[in-house]
């Protein structure tokens, strides 16, 4: 009897403390948990007594369904969907209106407006997808606890094509993926449509992503077979109601591999015909197919240069193959030919001269920086240098060079940094954002792409904070004027907690996290000193690799005099690729911002920097303070424990422990290695690492065993 009572008591206690539902992260920022404050719930409930939607189309059903799910969850009471409002008031009305406008301007086709009318809250736009976006905007208002009273706002996307690029392979692996395997289950498609696809589409729609490149840029020809086109069409059918089109990365030599042709020369009539027929086949299966993404003559991939043609010849032929269909070609500028000088300049040298030679349906896709998704890069000099060509900005959400899924790094500030960089293409204010959104050069097409960090892990992104990077990308793609801190705060409230002090703590952590990572890995403008191939951990001593520009020494150029890559006129002169105003900003080692210093200058170890410290002392200090900032992250995270789901909290706690350990690897490896050149002790009060360089090398080399 006693035992039974104890057992009962135990059961009751467990039920009382355990949250209603353990938070495994699957619901992302679309949690819709009941608002704890009853008064607030009631307040919202007064404006959301019903949802009026006359539409029966899949998109309008998605909109009303999402509102019903979200509002019912948040308010803790059923909110019915009714056909029309009739004389009822106090509800949410969905209205597609071809004339919809805001502030005297017609809305863009995807733009939405929320306003009050006869005591109802109207969500309107010129298209169904616009209304769907508006529905998510309304939910966001409630999720972030903003008032609905007298709501009146509108929003248009600034960039037209807002794409995720999946680097997913046909066999289910993901190139540079750290969150499990691909979410696309090719062997089950087209018959088997995992519910997860719909949740993926919902998440994308909630942040305005409207296109999905399904497969890796190192593409398999298999996606262009009839079998796979059928599978892709099935996926397209799931994404379509949510406003997302599918695109494919294509393998340049597909006409040879699949078509049996002797060549893939873009000027060959048979090759042209093959692609035209393939495009027709694609559009027959997927009427709203988005188009092609191409990695050609890059890192061993075939391309038009194999036939002495250039990138424009290749891209234009593909664009023409699309014929009358509304598709585009995104041709990547991520190229660097072996043995032709500073890698920094190579994409520019190949692409800039082609400006004006591309078909109107071609966009050139440029990575944010000139090298390769480093933790901090100056903006690519192609931005602002190709006025006649619409450029797609490509950023990487998967943390290939930013600590995989064990380092907490919020990428909002990185993405904002490049968007806000001023190219001076048409005078001051010609930011990368304005080059990309088409306003600097009046382009009809504009696009932005994020390399996805999404995989089969239950929480989608491995590190729970990786979700914030997916989220921030979408929000900035829609409106690049939003601040990264505001987005971090929004995501935190929607995903983790709305308790004000915890929101402040978490937002602060997120906002500072990227600079912390830079400090303990590549301070002062160091770059590309990570582990070979795996791109994880430090390997500044790497001196031999498949190509010189895959080593670390190529980039840091440490010697007895100093450190850094001289890219001024006395060095590779890559700086000359930028407009004079930019050159002025970065050209003088005395005034160059410290974040970019070693990107452009070889600086003496004893050179005094603007901080008052010598280069060596500053470098060592940054490695130490950077690694110690992880302790700060840990402390902050510990503080918010009462506000967070216990499982999620424990997950990140463990990841932070790993991050601290790996930050110390970076610190010790880099400080000890560079010290062999600087030949000076660490400045006080820094205590020397407790291990030797040989020991750290062993550790890292073992890590990289394949
Ligand atoms: C590099 C990656 C490689 C990609 C390549 C690309 O290491 O896996 O294929 O970029 O963007 O960063 O094409």
């Amino acid at each position: 009897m006693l035992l039974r009572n104890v057992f009962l008591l135990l059961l009751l206690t467990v039920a009382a403390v355990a949250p209603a539902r353990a938070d495994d992260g699957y619901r992302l920022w679309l949690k819709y948990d009941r608002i704890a404050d009853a008064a607030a719930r009631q307040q919202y409930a007064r404006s959301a007594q019903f949802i009026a939607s006359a539409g029966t189309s899949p998109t309008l059903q998605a909109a009303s369904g999402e509102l019903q799910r979200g509002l019912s969850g948040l308010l803790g009471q059923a909110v019915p969907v009714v056909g029309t409002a009739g004389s009822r008031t106090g509800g949410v009305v969905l209205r597609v209106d071809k004339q919809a406008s805001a502030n005297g301007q017609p809305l863009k086709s995807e733009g939405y407006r929320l306003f009050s009318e006869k005591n109802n809250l109207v969500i309107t736009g010129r298209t169904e997808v616009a209304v769907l976006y508006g529905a998510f905007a309304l939910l966001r208002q409630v999720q972030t606890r903003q008032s609905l009273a007298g709501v009146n706002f509108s929003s248009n996307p600034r960039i037209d094509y807002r794409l995720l690029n999946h680097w997913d392979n046909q066999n289910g692996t993901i190139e540079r993926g750290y969150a499990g395997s691909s979410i696309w289950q090719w062997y089950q498609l087209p018959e088997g449509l995992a519910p997860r696809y719909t949740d993926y589409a919902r998440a994308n729609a909630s942040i305005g992503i409207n296109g999905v490149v399904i497969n890796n840029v190192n593409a398999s020809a298999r996606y262009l077979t009839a079998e796979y086109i059928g599978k892709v069409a099935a996926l397209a059918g799931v994404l379509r109601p949510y406003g997302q089109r599918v695109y494919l990365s294509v393998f340049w030599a597909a006409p040879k591999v699949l078509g049996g042709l002797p060549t893939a020369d873009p000027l060959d009539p048979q090759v042209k015909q093959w692609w035209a027929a393939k495009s027709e086949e694609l559009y027959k299966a997927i009427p709203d197919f988005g188009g092609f993404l191409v990695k050609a003559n890059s890192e061993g991939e075939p391309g038009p240069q194999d036939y002495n043609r250039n990138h424009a010849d290749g891209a234009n032929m593909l664009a023409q193959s699309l014929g009358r269909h509304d598709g585009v070609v995104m041709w990547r500028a991520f190229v660097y030919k072996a043995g032709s000088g500073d890698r920094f300049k190579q994409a520019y040298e190949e692409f800039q001269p082609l400006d004006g030679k591309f078909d109107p349906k071609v966009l050139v896709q440029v990575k944010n920086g000139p090298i390769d998704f480093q933790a901090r890069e100056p903006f690519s000099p192609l931005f602002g240098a190709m006025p006649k060509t619409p450029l797609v900005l490509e950023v990487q959400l998967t943390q290939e060079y930013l600590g995989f899924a064990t380092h907490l790094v919020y990428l909002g500030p990185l993405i904002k940094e490049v968007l806000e960089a001023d190219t001076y293409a048409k005078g001051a204010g010609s930011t990368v954002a304005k080059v990309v959104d088409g306003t600097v050069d009046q382009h009809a097409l504009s696009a932005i792409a994020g390399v996805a960090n999404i995989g089969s892990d239950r929480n989608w992104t491995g590190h729970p904070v990786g979700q914030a990077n997916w989220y921030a990308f979408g929000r900035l793609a829609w409106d690049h004027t939003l601040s990264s801190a505001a987005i971090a705060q929004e995501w935190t409230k929607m995903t983790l907690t709305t308790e004000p002090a915890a929101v402040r703590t978490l937002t602060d952590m997120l906002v500072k996290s990227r600079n912390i990572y830079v400090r303990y890995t590549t301070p002062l403008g160091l770059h590309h000193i990570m582990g070979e191939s795996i791109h994880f951990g430090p390997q500044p001593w790497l001196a031999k690799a498949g190509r010189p520009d895959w080593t670390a020494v190529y980039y840091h150029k440490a010697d007895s005099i100093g450190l850094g890559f001289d890219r001024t006129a006395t060095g590779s002169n890559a700086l000359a690729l930028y407009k004079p105003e930019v050159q002025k900003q970065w050209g003088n080692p005395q005034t160059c911002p410290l974040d970019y210093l070693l990107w452009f200058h070889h600086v003496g170890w004893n050179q005094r920097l603007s901080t008052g410290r010598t280069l060596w002392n500053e470098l060592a200090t940054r490695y130490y303070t950077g690694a110690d900032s992880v302790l700060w992250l840990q402390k902050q995270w510990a503080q918010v424990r009462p506000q967070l789901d216990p499982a999620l909290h424990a997950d990140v706690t463990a990841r932070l422990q790993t991050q601290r350990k790996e930050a110390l690897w970076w610190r010790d490896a880099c400080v000890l290695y560079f010290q062999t050149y600087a030949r000076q002790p660490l400045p006080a009060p820094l205590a020397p690492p407790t291990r030797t360089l040989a020991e750290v090398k062993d550790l890292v080399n073992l890590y990289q065993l394949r």
Side-chain angles (χ1 to χ4, degrees):
M1 189 62 174
L2 185 72
L3 214 87
R4 218 184 82 194
N5 279 346
V6 169
F7 181 66
L8 248 173
L9 197 75
L10 208 81
L11 253 182
L12 283 173
T13 335
V14 171
V17 282
R21 181 172 170 189
D23 190 356
D24 60 12
Y26 181 80
R27 294 174 298 157
L28 296 159
W29 48 88
L30 302 175
K31 290 214 163 85
Y32 308 143
D33 284 337
R34 195 175 75 140
I35 298 170
D37 176 351
R41 271 199 322 267
Q42 267 171 23
Q43 185 110 46
Y44 286 122
R46 276 200 282 279
S47 330
Q49 292 163 31
F50 60 89
I51 299 148
S53 174
T56 52
S57 73
T59 299
L60 287 177
Q61 278 191 4
S64 57
E66 192 73 31
L67 281 170
Q68 184 173 42
R69 173 188 195 147
L71 293 171
S72 306
L74 287 156
L75 306 183
Q77 64 187 57
V79 182
V81 178
V82 298
T84 51
S87 57
R88 296 175 67 172
T89 60
V92 178
V93 177
L94 305 190
R95 184 185 298 161
V96 179
D97 170 6
K98 297 227 158 33
Q99 313 297 323
S101 62
N103 312 318
Q105 297 285 326
L107 285 167
K108 287 191 183 177
S109 72
E110 295 173 303
Y112 58 83
R113 179 172 169 224
L114 270 58
F115 63 98
S116 307
E117 180 190 79
K118 293 196 215 126
N119 222 8
N120 282 325
L121 205 161
V122 180
I123 302 177
T124 191
R126 286 165 49 206
T127 61
E128 295 182 348
V129 169
V131 170
L132 175 66
Y133 289 151
F136 279 111
L138 170 64
L139 287 167
R140 189 157 57 231
Q141 287 287 108
V142 181
Q143 287 177 283
T144 56
R145 306 292 185 267
Q146 321 226 29
S147 165
L148 291 184
V151 152
N152 187 3
F153 67 85
S154 62
S155 186
N156 280 308
R158 289 177 192 270
I159 296 177
D160 299 327
Y161 295 82
R162 305 174 299 276
L163 308 178
L164 279 185
N165 287 186
H166 285 263
W167 284 1
D168 296 20
N169 297 316
Q170 181 273 328
N171 65 5
T173 58
I174 305 178
E175 177 143 349
R176 313 300 179 183
Y178 313 104
S181 46
S182 175
I183 57 170
W184 315 128
Q185 299 178 351
W186 293 112
Y187 299 113
Q188 268 103 63
L189 285 164
E191 294 84 7
L193 291 170
R196 190 167 194 148
Y197 301 152
T198 307
D199 290 327
Y200 167 81
R202 289 174 50 232
N204 275 347
S206 75
I207 49 177
I209 286 169
N210 65 3
V212 177
V213 184
I214 299 278
N215 62 314
N216 191 357
V217 287
N218 298 314
S220 155
R222 194 151 177 198
Y223 292 94
L224 295 173
T225 60
E227 183 198 7
Y228 269 72
I229 291 174
K231 293 170 190 274
V232 175
L235 280 180
V238 180
L239 300 178
R240 186 171 299 119
Y242 291 90
Q244 290 143 57
R245 298 167 75 178
V246 299
Y247 299 68
L248 284 175
S249 294
V250 294
F251 180 59
W252 182 259
K256 286 165 76 179
V257 177
L258 296 181
L261 298 183
T263 174
D265 179 350
L267 302 193
D268 181 280
Q270 276 186 298
V271 170
K272 288 185 188 176
Q273 215 173 51
W274 188 88
W275 280 110
K278 193 48 77 182
S279 292
E280 273 307 319
E281 188 185 345
L282 278 161
Y283 277 97
K284 219 164 141 209
I286 313 165
D288 57 350
F289 178 64
F292 300 127
L293 174 65
V294 191
K295 173 176 179 177
N297 293 119
S298 162
E299 299 189 325
E301 292 295 318
Q305 292 174 348
D306 305 347
Y307 308 94
N308 292 321
R309 315 295 183 197
N310 63 32
H311 292 290
D313 295 328
N316 295 348
M317 184 276 289
L318 274 187
Q320 281 145 24
S321 86
L322 297 170
R324 65 199 157 82
H325 300 292
D326 172 32
V328 293
V329 171
M330 309 203 180
W331 192 273
R332 295 177 86 230
F334 178 66
V335 297
Y336 53 105
K337 282 216 193 71
S340 67
D342 185 359
R343 175 168 163 189
F344 193 115
K345 304 201 288 191
Q346 290 163 15
Y348 185 101
E349 284 166 352
E350 266 184 65
F351 275 86
Q352 199 285 328
L354 296 176
D355 189 32
K357 304 238 156 67
F358 289 100
D359 184 282
K361 282 187 169 186
V362 174
L363 300 101
V364 170
Q365 182 156 320
V366 182
K367 288 190 182 183
N368 59 282
I371 302 296
D372 191 9
F373 296 140
Q374 297 301 292
R376 170 168 280 124
E377 296 200 26
F379 68 90
S380 163
L382 279 169
F383 292 110
M386 295 187 67
K388 298 190 182 120
T389 314
L391 300 184
V392 189
L393 168 63
E394 179 180 314
V395 294
Q396 195 181 43
L397 310 175
T398 190
Q399 290 169 234
E400 175 180 0
Y401 299 97
L402 285 109
F404 291 11
T406 49
H407 294 233
L408 188 157
V409 185
Y410 167 59
L411 296 173
L414 185 157
I415 302 172
K416 271 299 268 193
E417 198 169 285
V418 58
L419 286 167
E420 282 179 351
D422 200 341
T423 69
Y424 289 91
K426 296 253 158 76
S430 309
T431 59
V432 171
K434 290 184 180 164
V435 169
V436 171
D437 75 12
T439 52
V440 168
D441 300 301
Q442 303 305 314
H443 288 303
L445 296 177
S446 60
I448 184 165
V451 180
N453 59 349
I454 298 158
S456 61
D457 279 5
R458 182 69 192 158
N459 73 1
W460 303 83
T461 55
H463 201 304
V465 172
Q467 295 182 1
N469 296 333
W470 178 6
Y471 185 83
F473 169 72
R475 298 287 285 136
L476 287 171
W478 179 276
D479 184 358
H480 54 68
T481 67
L482 296 173
S483 91
S484 63
I487 296 170
Q489 192 195 71
E490 203 175 87
W491 176 81
T492 300
K493 285 183 176 173
M494 293 167 81
T495 314
L496 299 176
T497 174
T498 52
E499 196 278 316
V503 169
R504 272 196 302 276
T505 304
L506 289 162
T507 306
D508 192 32
M509 287 176 70
L510 260 62
V511 166
K512 291 181 175 150
S513 60
R514 184 275 192 128
N515 270 342
I516 292 174
Y517 183 84
V518 170
R519 272 196 169 232
Y520 64 74
T521 59
T522 48
L524 297 171
L526 282 171
H527 50 283
H528 207 290
I529 57 172
M530 67 291 152
E532 186 181 9
S533 329
I534 182 166
H535 296 174
F536 189 82
Q539 208 176 10
W541 48 83
L542 183 69
K544 268 207 193 92
R547 315 169 31 144
D549 52 11
W550 285 348
T551 69
V553 299
Y554 175 96
Y555 297 94
H556 64 64
K557 305 217 183 294
D559 56 23
S560 62
I561 296 162
L563 181 65
F565 199 137
D566 180 3
R567 292 191 164 104
T568 67
T570 51
S572 79
N573 208 17
L575 195 58
L577 304 182
Y578 292 98
K579 295 283 179 291
E581 292 88 339
V582 181
Q583 292 184 37
K584 214 170 126 203
Q585 208 170 281
W586 292 335
N588 179 349
Q590 306 299 327
T591 53
C592 177
L594 295 185
D595 284 341
Y596 296 107
L597 185 64
L598 304 176
W599 271 100
F600 295 107
H601 303 281
H602 192 70
V603 181
W605 293 113
N606 293 319
Q607 178 76 45
R608 212 157 277 285
L609 307 184
S610 54
T611 57
R613 296 192 185 94
T614 63
L615 172 68
W616 166 249
N617 286 354
E618 186 64 37
L619 189 77
T621 303
R622 288 193 182 210
Y623 273 113
Y624 272 74
T625 53
D628 284 348
S629 296
V630 181
L631 296 174
W632 176 81
L633 286 173
Q634 289 177 294
K635 228 171 80 203
Q636 302 300 100
W637 186 255
Q639 262 177 38
V640 298
R641 198 173 75 137
Q643 275 74 46
L644 300 195
D645 174 85
L648 185 137
H649 191 269
D651 178 345
V652 174
T653 299
R655 287 179 206 260
L656 282 166
Q657 282 165 2
T658 312
Q659 181 174 353
R660 165 73 177 158
K661 180 182 71 187
E662 292 166 353
L664 290 174
W665 290 1
W666 271 97
R667 185 196 75 180
D668 292 355
C670 294
V671 164
L672 291 170
Y673 169 77
F674 290 127
Q675 194 172 34
T676 63
Y677 293 95
R679 285 176 296 163
Q680 345 187 358
L682 289 172
L686 308 182
T690 52
R691 48 191 162 192
T692 65
L693 180 57
E695 281 164 351
V696 195
K697 275 190 185 178
D698 274 352
L699 188 80
V700 174
N701 290 341
L702 274 180
Y703 190 87
Q704 282 154 14
L705 275 185
R706 264 164 290 155

